[in-house]
Amino acid sequence: MDAMAVTSLVAGIGACAVCVLHVWLRVRAAVRLAQLSESGISSWINALPPGSYLSERRADRSYVTIHIGGAAPRPGGVDE
């Protein structure tokens, strides 16, 4: 192989490696942020007394309400 082909091949492999590394780092950061978010919610829940409600707005603008110390919801139904 001539030098130009080898240089192009090495540059292409390097570019692919950088791209894969970038994607891996972004996914790893997203997972870590999710873990931190979960641990933050857990510490809030542990600090609340029974009977409290915790409401949170998700990224898709929906709300999640957690009732602390309440009865377990029925499977397949809405807790009344």
Side-chain angles (χ1 to χ4, degrees), residues 1-12:
M1 296 180 99
D2 81 333
M4 194 61 133
V6 172
T7 303
S8 298
L9 183 63
V10 169

Side-chain angles (χ1 to χ4, degrees), residues 10 13 15 17 20 22 27 30-32 42 48 52 56 61 70 74 76 78 80:
V10 169
I13 291 172
V20 167
H22 180 260
V27 169
V31 168
R32 184 67 181 138
S42 296
L48 293 173
S52 299
E56 179 182 285
R61 300 199 187 276
R74 287 181 254 153
V78 176
E80 295 179 28

